[in-house]
Amino acid sequence: MSMFAVLLVLLSSVGNGAGSVFLKKLSFKKTNNILSLLLNRTFILGITIYATAAVLYVIALKYGDISVLYPIAATQYIWVCIFAVRFFREKINILKWSGIIMIIAGAVFIGLGL
Amino acid sequence: MKSKIKVYNDNHKADSTVEIHKASSADDNSMQRTTKPWAVMLVLFCTIIMSFSQILWKIGSASLGLDIFKALADLPLVFGFLLYGLCAVLLIFALRGGDLSTLYPVLALSFVLTNLLAWLILGEDINLFKWIGIFSIVAGISFIGIGSRNSHHIKNRGEAGLP
């Protein structure tokens, strides 16, 4: 059952990363009309992925050990960076990568303390 | 700068609204070059909302099974998800002010805030491991901030040297 929870959180963190790609794509739109932003296909797709990821996370927390799940949830920052490079050609230097590693290390420690 | 404009248009092939703004995309590029302070503030605000939503999930999921109807009647859980949705909408506006790879990791502060809130609201204690974790996450986010400033600096310098 624990392996199942790990898989769910991994899926959820990839989903969070993918959802944020849709939000970033939307942020290029110059309109401030909230309704037109919310009824956009990109937003509906993005928020669906985001919500699914959140549901998976909550279910996983129910069945898995949180100290294992926290660091896996933190891998979403790796996925976001990979997606940002792939889809928006953002530059990520060694300082940024080490920041990401430190965030994941932090999640490991918080998980150990729980 | 050329390649950036190309990416900008590639991502929005189907968007007529963006086509209209094509002419001003050079401006947008210079706008995107650095991370805007207001964008960081907005992401921080999102982080606070997100932490509250996670606390609400934790309160709500205590009685949660795999029964969907029971979950929908679970007010803390539903309210937590609504806050999460609000967070997503605010993120759209926040992401206008900087790179995804710079602004999104700021959300990792929710690990820190969730712990502080769990300490204040749920009475959980913060031990040495948690303090090390909190310190590491805050330091990591600072690194990303410094890193993003550096990469822009180098990029600008490189462009200035181009014919």
Side-chain angles (χ1 to χ4, degrees):
Chain A
M1 210 52 173
S2 179
M3 218 35 224
F4 165 73
V6 167
L7 201 71
L8 281 186
V9 172
L10 197 62
L11 260 175
S12 140
S13 59
V14 175
N16 263 325
S20 70
V21 168
F22 286 96
L23 297 183
K24 177 67 181 173
K25 196 180 164 191
L26 263 176
S27 77
F28 288 120
K29 277 187 169 294
K30 287 293 169 235
T31 173
N32 277 326
N33 183 348
I34 300 240
L35 211 63
S36 86
L37 281 174
L38 298 195
L39 294 177
N40 193 287
R41 206 181 42 175
T42 311
F43 179 78
I44 292 170
L45 247 165
I47 200 79
T48 307
I49 295 173
Y50 231 56
T52 312
V55 171
L56 292 182
Y57 185 66
V58 173
I59 294 174
L61 284 187
K62 186 87 182 148
Y63 293 104
D65 189 359
I66 202 167
S67 58
V68 182
L69 299 185
Y70 253 38
I72 299 170
T75 58
Q76 63 178 284
Y77 304 105
I78 300 181
W79 312 131
V80 164
C81 283
I82 292 174
F83 291 150
V85 172
R86 170 72 183 75
F87 294 110
F88 306 110
R89 307 214 186 142
E90 292 180 7
K91 299 265 183 288
I92 301 178
N93 53 21
I94 191 80
L95 266 171
K96 267 179 149 182
W97 281 122
S98 34
I100 302 284
I101 303 286
M102 283 164 91
I103 289 174
I104 294 170
V108 171
F109 275 110
I110 288 180
L112 284 173
L114 284 169
Chain B
M1 191 176 269
K2 242 176 212 160
S3 68
K4 192 130 193 200
I5 294 171
K6 191 170 161 285
V7 173
Y8 184 87
N9 292 332
D10 273 356
N11 287 325
H12 298 276
K13 253 173 209 157
D15 273 343
S16 53
T17 40
V18 175
E19 292 297 313
I20 299 166
H21 292 283
K22 212 179 197 171
S24 65
S25 62
D27 273 346
D28 298 335
N29 273 333
S30 58
M31 293 264 294
Q32 293 226 296
R33 188 112 293 162
T34 51
T35 312
K36 299 271 176 255
W38 60 260
V40 179
M41 294 309 284
L42 199 51
V43 178
L44 282 177
F45 186 63
C46 282
T47 309
I48 296 170
I49 296 177
M50 203 179 223
S51 306
F52 272 107
S53 79
Q54 274 166 5
I55 292 281
L56 284 172
W57 290 350
K58 188 160 183 183
I59 296 169
S61 71
S63 59
L64 180 71
L66 281 176
D67 186 348
I68 291 203
F69 294 104
K70 214 175 149 195
L72 283 176
D74 194 336
L75 276 182
L77 205 66
V78 171
F79 199 62
F81 271 103
L82 284 179
L83 277 183
Y84 201 66
L86 174 69
C87 187
V89 176
L90 286 176
L91 263 183
I92 299 174
F93 293 100
L95 287 173
R96 285 181 178 171
D99 279 350
L100 181 62
S101 59
T102 305
L103 288 175
Y104 194 80
V106 176
L107 286 176
L109 274 179
S110 69
F111 279 109
V112 175
L113 266 177
T114 308
N115 270 294
L116 294 179
L117 285 176
W119 175 52
L120 288 171
I121 298 174
L122 304 177
E124 292 175 8
D125 66 320
I126 302 183
N127 52 28
L128 182 65
F129 276 122
K130 284 189 190 173
W131 279 123
I132 296 174
I134 287 171
F135 179 77
S136 178
I137 288 175
V138 172
I141 291 167
S142 316
F143 264 60
I144 289 168
I146 299 166
S148 75
R149 209 162 48 195
N150 265 14
S151 75
H152 290 304
H153 183 64
I154 291 163
K155 215 159 67 186
N156 285 341
R157 207 167 48 188
E159 271 169 14
L162 284 175

